[in-house]
């Protein structure tokens, strides 16, 4: 109404207008004061304390659910309010949580709020109260806290008996890495309770006399069936209880989320789901996946855990915005993907791959692809695999593809494959499609690598060749052709075929020069020929061997060329020199190469390898250039020499190890070390102190010459013990630590005595040997043999008429010196001493001797002479008894001794009597027997002599012997004298 009056008032006079303004101001001030008073009255009498507070419990979730209302809100409109909540445990004064909750509400509207407790609600009583405040700018007068509501108690504990025990929470579901609190409630405060997590005791704190709590931090995932927790009384173990804690793996965000199409009909979305969060006992199933497209608003639940198919509609939608949502009971996660459909094309794999026109070096490959429309071009990639190599080629196609594969190798197996991708917007290659094929064989493209060895001093040649590589063989080698041409006789040509896989053959050649050609053949043909020449005079001279040092990578060697006109060099060696076959190897080098490195997988440390370097002339003749030897790595000697001790004296001894072989050692022997132990601590000159591995101190002698295998240890003490050890040393190390050998030096004086005795013994031995060697001379001088008449050079031999085999001595050729007259009695049977037969004669013939003495005037007197019979001169005399000495007294007259006569008369008488005695001498006749001056009486003769017989003096030296006829004896025999003996002495002899 005031508004309707506003124009009229404006037409009044100024006085009226001023009065109206004063009235209006007064009215407004009065109204404002009234409203302020009204607000104070409302605030004082209008309570906003929350009412109807109710608390419920969710034990599985360990949550308190609160609901309340505020009845005294003015006006029927929404107010922004803040509620402050306090929660206490065990008693109201023990506030464990306080927080604010903001919301909008109307009068009498019920508010809901939940709180999750870290302690199981069964373990203790909880108390809750609330107060509120209006947080609305429209009503600043109500912006003050209300009074607290009354405490609401929540007690979930069951009534417990004296012998009861409970563990909470029951079957709790938590995520791996979470923190959780458990408790046990015991009805008897006297019980001593222990709790265990998977058998390992856990420790906590006591909440009250009946309740104890345990805090578990970062709980691990152990198994899908849950983690076991149990408590029991320590002493009786009659009271026990437990719970299962279900720990789930953390739900992961899907990884590698991607979508693509292969035919513009279906989108295939894939992802990596991560760990499966499913648990046993249906506590939690596997996480679920949902695909949501925001532009179309469509949603699809995915049945598989890592992929989902989405049908493409015909509305020509090109842009897609997908959200992939995964969730379980504890967590929810999601990822987004935005893409253009034409940029996510993954073609299907090509098909119908074929090969055409396959030759030894080329082939044509064809294939087909699935069409994506007239506007799509595919980029196809062809890969060719063979002999460890890979070749790629790119081809653009729409429906069918074709490509020429060239530069192939004969007799080679290849694998060709192809895959394709969108040529406009590359996304992914399709899967491979391919096939394999093999090119046919071709003739070998290279000559074999040929070399030879020749035995020294013979014409046997062993020919070696290396198998061709697969690249050069161009097929399977069936055999090798060897053609041997005699260069001195060109018409002669020898062929032989050697089946593969043999790599050598032995040729027996003569002294001529030969050219040898070797080719390898397969099913397609033969290779070029390898030519080698064996000269009739190789002219290899003796070359000194050079030592080289090898490494693990091989042997580096160089040489000096002898002439510039060469076509190459050859280095030969054995990979296994210790084996009988030795695995012969060689390496050919060009004419400008004077160094190389020889390496092999067969080289081993500690093995000596020998290398021979040959020079090949332009005529293909090989000449030995150098010889080298070495080890890839030298090792310590494998054994010590066997040492022999010689020349042991009181001050020295000599060590010898001549049988020690240095060739079989794992390194070059550089010398020897001789170790000597003794009680003395001082070393002799030439030695130095050394400490052995066992900390023993000894003297060391060094020998730098490996060929010296003897060593004399000098300046020693007599009657002392010494120990020695000889070990070789190389550039790497010395020989093994062996056992020392003990030796004792002898006494000094016996040694000097040996120096005296040994020369004496040697002289005696030499004297005895000399006597043995001169025994014949001694015999001839002391007791000469009776000469054999048949061998006399002064006798003329006369054949007997009665016995032509008997040889008769001519008496005129010799001068007798003794005569024995034997009177053979009738019926007497006297055997020869030579046959040693018994005497059957009843009475021995009594012998008497007649001595013919020399006619020398100075003869001092006769004496008896020793005689014996020689039956060679007279067969009849051989039957006579042995001669003996007659019992003649030295004082007897010469007439009794014998008849003195001249030698001429005696020879005549002897010749006549001797010729008559060639026949059988009748019984009773007396015959002559040869008597030697040097004969000694027989034992039988001594018995026939009288006891007073004189001992004859020594006989004179033999001069000449012969038989004397009986007629010269004087006087003739009588009855009392059965035997007379006559002795003749030469004119120049005397009786001794």
């Amino acid at each position: 109404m005031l508004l309707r009056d506003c124009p009229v008032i404006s037409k009044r006079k100024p006085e009226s207008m001023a009065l109206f303004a004063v009235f209006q101001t007064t009215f407004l001030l009065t109204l404002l004061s009234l409203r302020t008073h009204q607000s104070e009255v409302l605030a004082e009498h209008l309570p906003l304390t929350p009412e109807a507070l109710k608390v419920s419990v969710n034990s599985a979730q360990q949550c308190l659910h609160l609901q309340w209302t505020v009845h005294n809100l003015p006006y029927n409109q929404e107010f922004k309010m803040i509620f402050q909540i306090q929660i206490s445990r065990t008693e109201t004064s023990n506030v464990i949580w306080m927080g604010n909750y903001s919301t909008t509400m109307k009068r009498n509207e019920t508010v809901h709020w939940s709180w999750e407790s870290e302690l199981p609600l069964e373990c203790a009583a909880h108390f809750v109260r609330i107060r509120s405040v209006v947080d609305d700018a429209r009503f600043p007068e109500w912006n003050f806290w209300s009074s607290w509501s009354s405490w609401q108690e929540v007690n979930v504990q069951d009534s417990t008996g004296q012998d009861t025990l409970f563990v909470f929470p029951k079957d709790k579901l938590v995520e791996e890495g979470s923190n959780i609190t458990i408790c046990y409630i015991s009805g008897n405060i006297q019980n001593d309770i222990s709790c265990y997590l998977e058998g390992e005791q856990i420790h906590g704190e006591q909440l009250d006399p009946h309740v104890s709590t345990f805090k578990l931090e970062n709980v691990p995932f152990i198994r899908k069936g849950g983690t076991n927790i149990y408590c029991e009384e320590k002493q009786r173990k009659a009271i026990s209880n437990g719970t299962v804690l279900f720990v789930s793996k953390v739900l992961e965000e899907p990884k590698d989320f991607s979508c693509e199409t292969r035919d513009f009909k279906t989108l295939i979305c894939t992802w990596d789901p991560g760990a499966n969060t499913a648990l046993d006992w249906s506590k939690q199933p596997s996480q679920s996946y949902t695909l949501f497209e925001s532009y179309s608003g469509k949603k699809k639940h995915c049945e598989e855990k890592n992929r989902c198919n989405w049908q493409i509609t015909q509305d020509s939608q090109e842009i897609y915005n997908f959200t992939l949502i995964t969730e379980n009971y504890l967590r929810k996660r999601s990822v987004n993907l935005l893409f253009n459909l034409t940029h996510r094309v993954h073609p299907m794999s090509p098909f119908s791959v074929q090969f055409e026109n396959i030759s030894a070096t080329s082939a044509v490959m064809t294939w087909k692809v699935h069409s994506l429309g007239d506007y799509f071009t595919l980029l196809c990639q062809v890969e060719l695999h063979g002999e460890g190599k890979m070749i790629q080629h790119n081809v653009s196609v729409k429906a069918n593809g074709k490509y020429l594969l060239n530069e192939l190798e004969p007799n080679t197996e290849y694998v060709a494959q192809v895959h394709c991708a969108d040529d406009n917007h590359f996304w992914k290659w399709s899967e491979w499609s391919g096939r394999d094929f093999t090119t046919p064989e071709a003739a070998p493209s290279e000559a074999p690598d040929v070399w030879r060895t020749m035995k020294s001093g013979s014409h046997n040649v062993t020919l070696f060749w290396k198998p061709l590589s697969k690249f050069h063989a161009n097929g399977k080698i069936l055999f090798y052709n060897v053609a041997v041409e005699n260069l001195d006789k060109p018409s002669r040509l020898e062929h032989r075929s050697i089946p593969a896989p043999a790599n050598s053959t032995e040729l027996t050649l003569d002294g001529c020069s030969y050219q040898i050609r070797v080719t390898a053949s397969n099913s397609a043909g033969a290779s070029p020929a390898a030519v080698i020449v064996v000269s009739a005079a190789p002219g290899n001279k003796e070359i000194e061997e050079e030592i080289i040092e090898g490494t693990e990578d091989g042997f580096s060697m160089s040489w000096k060329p002898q002439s510039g006109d060469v076509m190459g060099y050859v280095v030969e060696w054995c990979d296994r020199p210790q084996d009988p076959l030795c695995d012969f190897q060689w390496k050919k080098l060009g004419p400008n190469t004077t160094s190389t490195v020889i390496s092999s997988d067969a080289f081993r440390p500690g093995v000596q390898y020998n290398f021979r370097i040959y020079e090949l002339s332009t005529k293909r003749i090989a000449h030995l250039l150098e010889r080298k030897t070495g080890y890839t790595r030298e090792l310590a000697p494998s054994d010590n020499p066997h040492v022999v001790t010689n020349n042991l004296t009181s001050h020295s001894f000599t060590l010898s190890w001549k049988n020690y072989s240095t060739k079989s050692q794992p390194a070059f022997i550089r010398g020897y070390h001789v170790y000597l132990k003794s009680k003395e601590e001082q070393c002799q000159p030439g030695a130095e102190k050394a400490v052995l591995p066992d900390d023993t101190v000894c003297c060391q002698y060094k020998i730098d010459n490996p060929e010296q295998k003897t060593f004399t240890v000098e300046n020693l003490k007599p009657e002392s013990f010494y120990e020695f050890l000889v070990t070789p040393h190389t550039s790497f190390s010395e020989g093994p630590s062996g056992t020392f050998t003990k030796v004792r030096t002898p006494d000094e004086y016996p040694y000097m005595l040996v120096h005296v005795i040994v020369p004496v013994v040697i002289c005696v031995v030499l004297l005895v040997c000399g006597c043995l060697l001169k025994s014949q001379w001694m015999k001839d001088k002391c007791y000469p043999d009776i000469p054999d008449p048949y061998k006399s050079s002064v006798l003329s031999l006369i054949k007997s008429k009665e016995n032509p085999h008997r040889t008769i001595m001519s008496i005129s050729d010799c001068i007798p010196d003794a005569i024995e007259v034997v009177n053979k009695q009738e019926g007497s049977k006297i055997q020869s001493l030579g046959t040693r037969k018994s005497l059957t004669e009843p009475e021995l013939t009594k012998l008497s001797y007649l001595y013919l003495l020399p006619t020398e005037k100075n003869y001092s007197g006769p004496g008896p002479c020793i005689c014996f019979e020689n039956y060679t001169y007279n067969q009849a005399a051989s039957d006579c008894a042995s001669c003996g000495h007659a019992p003649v007294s030295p004082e007897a007259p010469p007439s009794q001794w014998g008849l003195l006569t001249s030698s001429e008369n005696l020879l005549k008488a002897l010749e006549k009597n001797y010729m008559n005695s060639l026949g059988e001498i009748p019984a009773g006749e007396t015959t002559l027997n040869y008597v030697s001056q040097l004969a000694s009486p027989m034992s039988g003769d001594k018995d026939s002599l009288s006891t007073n017989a004189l001992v004859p003096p020594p006989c004179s030296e033999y001069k000449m012997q012969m038989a004397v006829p009986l007629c010269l004896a004087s006087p003739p025999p009588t009855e009392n004298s059965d035997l007379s003996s006559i002795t003749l002495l030469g004119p120049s002899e005397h009786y001794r």
Side-chain angles (χ1 to χ4, degrees):
M1 183 174 68
L2 291 176
L3 293 175
R4 286 195 299 267
D5 295 336
C6 282
V8 176
I9 294 175
S10 61
K11 295 179 180 179
R12 292 178 182 177
K13 293 181 179 180
E15 297 83 3
S16 300
M17 292 293 295
L19 181 61
F20 178 77
V22 171
F23 177 77
Q24 186 177 12
T25 303
T26 302
F27 176 78
L28 290 175
L29 290 174
T30 302
L31 181 62
L32 179 61
S33 176
L34 179 63
R35 288 182 64 90
T36 304
H37 177 72
Q38 184 181 4
S39 298
E40 291 176 357
V41 171
L42 287 175
E44 182 181 354
H45 299 286
L46 193 66
L48 297 179
T49 303
E51 300 175 354
L53 176 61
K54 294 182 180 178
V55 181
S56 60
V57 177
N58 185 343
S59 297
Q61 300 294 330
Q62 292 183 199
C63 290
L64 293 177
H65 295 291
L66 283 65
Q67 64 180 16
W68 67 89
T69 185
V70 179
H71 296 293
N72 296 328
L73 285 175
Y75 314 115
N76 190 16
Q77 58 182 349
E78 289 187 343
F79 289 87
K80 291 182 180 180
M81 299 191 69
I82 298 175
F83 296 93
Q84 192 173 61
I85 306 169
Q86 278 188 352
I87 300 177
S88 300
R89 181 175 292 160
T90 66
E91 56 186 15
T92 57
S93 62
N94 182 25
V95 177
I96 63 171
W97 188 88
M98 185 175 69
N100 294 335
Y101 173 63
S102 298
T103 185
T104 59
M105 67 176 298
K106 294 181 180 180
R107 179 189 298 178
N108 297 327
E109 184 180 357
T110 302
V111 180
H112 297 271
W113 180 80
S114 297
W115 174 77
E116 183 178 358
S117 173
E118 64 177 11
L119 179 70
L121 300 175
E122 296 87 351
C123 298
H126 290 77
F127 302 90
V128 181
R129 70 176 181 174
I130 307 175
R131 67 177 179 174
S132 64
V133 65
V134 177
D135 186 24
D136 198 328
R138 296 174 299 170
F139 306 99
E141 66 274 11
W142 291 343
N143 190 9
F144 59 91
W145 286 105
S146 69
S147 302
W148 286 100
S149 66
S150 59
W151 286 101
Q152 293 292 322
E153 182 180 1
V154 180
N155 194 347
V156 193
Q157 288 186 10
D158 296 332
S159 59
T160 58
Q162 183 177 0
D163 291 332
T164 57
L165 179 65
F166 298 97
V167 180
F168 297 101
K170 294 293 184 183
D171 301 338
K172 177 71 174 177
L173 176 62
V174 297
E175 206 170 46
E176 183 181 15
S178 303
N179 300 329
I180 188 172
T181 302
I182 65 172
C183 72
Y184 73 81
I185 303 173
S186 175
N188 189 347
I189 63 175
Q190 303 296 328
N191 292 338
D192 188 6
I193 306 299
S194 297
C195 294
Y196 302 90
L197 172 66
E198 289 293 330
E200 183 177 352
Q201 186 174 1
I202 55 178
H203 302 279
E205 60 183 9
Q206 191 173 16
L207 191 62
D208 63 35
H210 294 276
V211 180
S212 292
T213 61
F214 304 88
K215 291 185 178 180
L216 304 178
E217 296 181 352
N218 193 20
V219 292
F221 172 83
I222 297 178
R223 66 181 72 89
K224 289 184 176 181
T227 302
N228 297 319
I229 301 173
Y230 69 94
C231 300
E232 65 180 3
E233 184 185 5
K234 278 188 177 181
Q235 296 179 353
R236 295 186 298 168
K237 295 186 179 181
I239 303 174
S240 64
N241 203 336
T243 184
V244 177
L245 188 64
F246 288 93
V247 181
S248 167
K249 286 183 176 294
V250 178
L251 179 64
E252 300 178 18
E253 185 179 277
K255 303 179 184 65
D256 302 329
F257 180 42
S258 175
C259 296
E260 64 187 18
T261 182
R262 310 199 73 170
D263 54 4
F264 288 100
K265 297 179 181 180
T266 304
L267 269 173
I268 303 173
C269 297
T270 59
W271 61 88
D272 179 9
N276 189 359
T277 62
L279 296 174
D280 294 342
W281 312 109
S282 301
K283 291 301 296 184
Q284 177 175 265
S286 297
Q287 62 267 34
S288 62
Y289 293 90
T290 302
L291 197 60
F292 174 74
E293 204 284 309
S294 61
Y295 291 134
S296 64
K298 295 180 180 180
K299 181 185 293 187
K300 181 179 181 180
H301 178 73
C302 301
E303 298 179 357
E304 299 183 53
K305 304 303 177 185
N306 60 348
R307 62 179 293 154
C308 194
N309 292 338
W310 185 276
Q311 295 299 320
I312 299 175
T313 60
Q314 302 299 324
D315 56 2
S316 301
Q317 179 183 353
E318 291 187 2
I319 306 299
Y320 288 83
N321 186 10
F322 281 110
T323 300
L324 179 64
I325 304 168
T326 178
E327 60 182 331
N328 60 9
Y329 289 166
L330 301 175
R331 194 181 292 271
K332 183 177 183 178
R333 294 181 181 274
S334 63
V335 291
N336 296 324
L337 179 64
L338 178 67
F339 63 90
N340 189 316
L341 179 63
T342 59
H343 296 175
R344 295 297 180 100
V345 178
H346 182 195
M348 288 186 285
S349 60
F351 62 98
S352 188
V353 178
Q354 302 291 334
F355 295 98
E356 302 173 354
N357 303 327
I358 300 176
S359 67
T361 57
S362 65
V364 177
M365 179 181 179
T366 61
W367 66 93
K368 297 180 180 180
V369 295
H370 297 274
S371 176
L372 296 176
D374 296 337
Y375 301 102
F376 280 89
T377 302
L378 297 179
L379 175 66
C380 294
Q381 188 178 70
V382 178
E383 276 190 2
L384 182 65
H385 297 265
E387 294 298 315
K389 300 178 182 178
M390 188 269 291
I391 302 174
Q392 286 185 347
H393 305 279
N394 294 332
V395 182
S396 296
V397 298
K398 286 191 175 183
N400 298 326
K402 182 177 182 180
Y403 188 78
L404 174 63
L405 303 173
N406 51 16
E407 297 181 358
L408 305 181
E409 299 297 333
N411 190 43
T412 303
E413 184 176 355
Y414 290 95
V415 175
Q417 56 185 7
V418 59
H419 63 175
C420 302
D422 186 3
D423 196 11
N424 298 320
H425 303 284
F426 180 84
W427 167 242
K428 283 183 182 180
W429 289 106
S430 68
E431 293 80 9
W432 288 101
S433 295
R435 289 182 60 184
D436 56 347
F437 68 97
T438 303
T439 55
E441 290 187 357
S445 59
E446 188 173 283
D449 186 359
V450 179
W451 188 238
R452 89 293 177 274
T453 61
M454 301 178 63
K455 294 182 179 179
S456 178
S458 67
H459 300 287
N460 292 335
V461 176
T462 303
L463 198 65
F464 295 91
W465 56 84
K466 295 180 181 179
L468 291 175
S469 65
K470 192 173 186 342
F471 177 77
H472 295 111
N474 295 336
K476 182 180 179 181
I477 300 299
L478 302 177
F479 53 88
Y480 295 91
N481 295 315
V482 178
V484 182
E485 180 183 2
N486 191 327
L487 298 179
D488 298 335
K489 302 175 182 178
S491 60
R492 295 182 57 184
L493 188 63
E494 178 185 353
H495 291 274
R496 65 172 64 182
S497 179
I498 301 169
N503 63 345
S504 65
T505 185
E506 188 168 341
L507 304 175
T508 301
L509 308 177
D510 52 20
C512 300
S513 297
Y514 286 87
Q515 178 178 276
I516 304 172
R517 302 169 63 90
V518 181
T519 59
S521 300
N522 60 13
S523 61
S527 69
V531 181
I532 190 170
V533 175
V534 178
S535 175
N540 290 337
K541 59 182 179 181
E542 195 67 27
I543 296 177
E544 184 178 356
E545 197 171 49
E546 177 188 354
I547 295 178
I548 59 176
E549 193 171 323
T551 63
E552 293 182 356
D553 298 328
F555 294 89
S556 177
M557 60 186 71
S558 61
W559 56 91
K560 296 180 180 179
Q562 290 186 349
S563 60
D565 191 15
V566 296
M567 63 178 300
Y569 300 92
V570 179
V571 181
E572 69 175 26
W573 74 95
C574 285
D575 267 354
R576 295 176 177 83
Q578 297 175 340
D579 295 344
L581 299 179
C582 97
D583 194 6
F584 183 74
Q585 301 292 329
W586 69 92
K587 181 178 180 180
K588 289 186 176 180
L589 303 165
N592 298 324
T593 303
T594 58
S595 64
T596 186
V597 176
I598 303 298
S599 59
S600 173
D601 294 336
F603 286 165
R604 294 291 180 268
V607 178
Q608 184 178 359
Y609 296 94
N610 301 313
F611 302 90
R612 297 165 68 92
I613 302 172
Y614 290 87
E615 180 184 71
L616 288 177
S617 67
T618 53
K619 296 182 179 180
R620 303 179 185 273
I621 298 175
H623 301 279
L624 181 60
L625 195 62
E626 292 185 13
R627 297 171 62 226
K628 300 179 184 294
T629 183
Y631 295 83
T632 56
R633 181 161 58 91
E634 295 190 40
L635 303 178
S638 57
D639 58 348
N640 291 328
H642 176 68
V643 182
V644 178
T645 306
N646 298 322
N647 302 332
L648 179 61
T649 68
S650 58
H651 296 285
S652 67
F653 58 84
T654 301
L655 304 178
S656 175
W657 55 95
K658 295 184 178 179
N659 295 329
Y660 184 67
S661 175
T662 59
K663 298 296 183 181
S664 59
Q665 296 300 321
F668 292 113
I669 302 299
R670 309 289 181 175
Y672 302 92
H673 290 163
V674 179
Y675 294 96
L676 186 68
K677 290 183 184 179
S678 65
K679 295 181 179 180
E680 303 174 5
E681 296 183 356
Q682 296 295 329
C683 295
Q684 299 297 333
E688 59 184 17
K689 285 188 177 181
V691 180
L692 300 179
D694 58 354
D695 296 332
T696 303
V697 179
C698 62
C699 297
Q700 183 190 58
Y701 297 87
K702 293 183 179 180
I703 302 175
D704 296 330
N705 182 11
E707 300 301 325
Q708 178 182 341
K709 297 183 180 181
T710 59
F711 183 77
T712 301
V713 183
E714 298 176 336
N715 300 322
L716 305 180
K717 290 185 177 182
E719 294 186 279
S720 300
F721 286 96
Y722 295 91
E723 297 181 41
F724 67 85
L725 173 66
V726 178
T727 177
H729 72 88
T730 65
S731 60
F732 178 80
S733 177
E734 63 179 9
S737 299
T739 304
F740 278 73
T741 303
K742 294 184 178 181
V743 65
R744 180 181 182 275
T745 55
D747 189 6
E748 186 173 9
Y749 298 105
Y751 177 75
M752 296 176 62
L753 188 60
V754 169
H755 277 279
V756 176
I757 294 176
V758 170
V760 173
V761 172
I762 293 175
C763 292
V764 171
V765 171
L766 293 176
L767 181 61
V768 172
C769 293
C771 292
L772 292 176
L773 293 175
K774 296 294 184 176
S775 60
Q776 186 63 37
W777 178 83
M778 296 287 292
K779 181 179 178 181
D780 293 340
K781 290 298 182 182
C782 297
Y783 47 93
D785 291 337
I786 300 174
D788 188 354
Y790 294 100
K791 298 179 181 179
S792 176
S793 60
V794 298
L795 302 179
S796 60
L797 302 180
I798 305 174
K799 297 297 182 178
S800 172
K801 297 179 181 180
E802 292 82 359
N803 189 353
H805 299 289
R806 178 178 296 172
T807 302
I808 302 174
M809 182 180 64
S810 177
I811 298 177
S812 61
D813 294 335
C814 60
I815 300 174
D817 62 348
I819 298 176
E820 178 187 8
V821 180
V822 180
N823 184 18
K824 185 176 181 182
Q825 300 296 332
E826 184 177 355
S828 65
K829 298 180 179 179
I830 301 176
Q831 288 284 341
S832 165
L833 288 175
T835 57
R836 294 195 177 183
K837 295 180 181 180
S838 60
L839 299 175
T840 58
E841 190 176 22
E843 185 179 356
L844 293 173
T845 305
K846 294 182 180 180
L847 302 176
S848 60
Y849 289 85
L850 175 64
Y851 292 91
L852 302 181
L853 301 177
T855 56
E856 296 178 358
K857 294 180 180 181
N858 60 352
Y859 177 67
S860 61
C865 183
I866 301 172
C867 64
F868 72 94
E869 298 173 333
N870 189 333
Y871 304 116
T872 305
Y873 291 87
N874 198 326
Q875 183 63 34
S878 64
D879 294 333
C880 299
S882 300
C883 65
H885 291 282
V888 181
S889 175
E891 291 82 6
S895 60
Q896 295 180 2
W897 293 352
L899 177 64
L900 297 177
T901 181
S902 64
S903 59
E904 290 82 355
N905 298 331
L906 180 60
L907 289 175
K908 293 179 181 180
L910 287 175
E911 184 177 1
K912 179 179 179 182
N913 183 271
Y914 192 81
M915 295 301 295
N916 294 331
S917 65
L918 291 176
E920 285 293 331
I921 300 176
E925 291 188 5
T926 301
T927 60
L928 297 179
N929 283 344
Y930 171 82
V931 179
S932 173
Q933 297 176 349
L934 299 180
S936 59
M938 296 295 183
S939 59
D941 300 329
K942 290 179 180 180
D943 295 338
S944 63
L945 298 176
S946 62
T947 58
N948 56 354
L950 297 175
V951 178
C955 298
S956 63
E957 206 171 333
Y958 169 79
K959 295 300 181 180
M960 218 171 218
Q961 302 164 338
M962 66 176 295
V964 181
L966 183 59
C967 60
L968 296 178
S970 179
T974 62
E975 294 179 358
N976 296 327
S977 64
D978 298 325
L979 179 62
S980 299
S981 188
I982 300 174
T983 299
L984 302 179
L985 299 179
S988 64
E989 295 179 352
H990 63 274
Y991 198 94
R992 296 179 182 179

